Amino acid sequence: MIEESKPEMSKTQRKLADKFIKRLQQHGTVNVTFTKKNGDKRLMICTKDMHLIPAANIPVLQENATAKPLNPDVIKVFDVEAKGWRTVLAESILEVE
């Protein structure tokens, strides 16, 4: 099976993704506007701050779990309003506040 390669992200897209990741590390919550896979535009208030995530939603490391390789183009965050984990594709980010 031949894997299709994705086009490279533009410099603007990479800057927005880097800004998003940096803000997630520095602030409690971050507002991010992105395009969903179905084409809809969405504003999400999200965090990676474990103090803001309900205890029931904090990931627990399993004893025999193997670490998945990190993909810098896929950003996992906790949606504060929907109270669940979401994935944002770096290339889909339109605005970071």
Side-chain angles (χ1 to χ4, degrees):
M1 175 156 76
I2 298 174
E3 219 176 286
E4 288 185 37
S5 62
K6 288 178 133 180
E8 291 289 319
M9 276 194 289
S10 71
K11 287 182 181 180
T12 302
Q13 289 172 315
R14 176 48 57 200
K15 283 182 182 179
L16 277 171
D18 291 345
K19 179 180 177 182
F20 180 46
I21 293 166
K22 188 174 183 177
R23 289 246 176 123
L24 281 168
Q25 294 168 344
Q26 296 174 343
H27 301 280
T29 59
V30 177
N31 296 344
V32 61
T33 303
F34 63 99
T35 305
K36 293 171 48 171
K37 284 185 178 182
N38 68 4
D40 292 347
K41 203 182 274 191
R42 176 160 187 243
L43 168 65
M44 177 171 54
I45 302 170
C46 56
T47 189
K48 281 197 162 195
D49 184 339
M50 294 300 165
H51 295 100
L52 300 175
I53 299 171
N57 295 98
I58 294 177
V60 177
L61 183 61
Q62 300 295 322
E63 190 174 318
N64 295 327
T66 56
K68 292 181 181 178
L70 292 178
N71 181 343
D73 297 333
V74 178
I75 306 162
K76 295 180 182 179
V77 295
F78 187 80
D79 183 331
V80 175
E81 294 176 320
K83 296 185 178 19
W85 289 95
R86 302 290 183 264
T87 300
V88 178
L89 298 177
E91 64 192 25
S92 71
I93 297 172
L94 302 172
E95 186 176 358
V96 178
E97 298 174 17

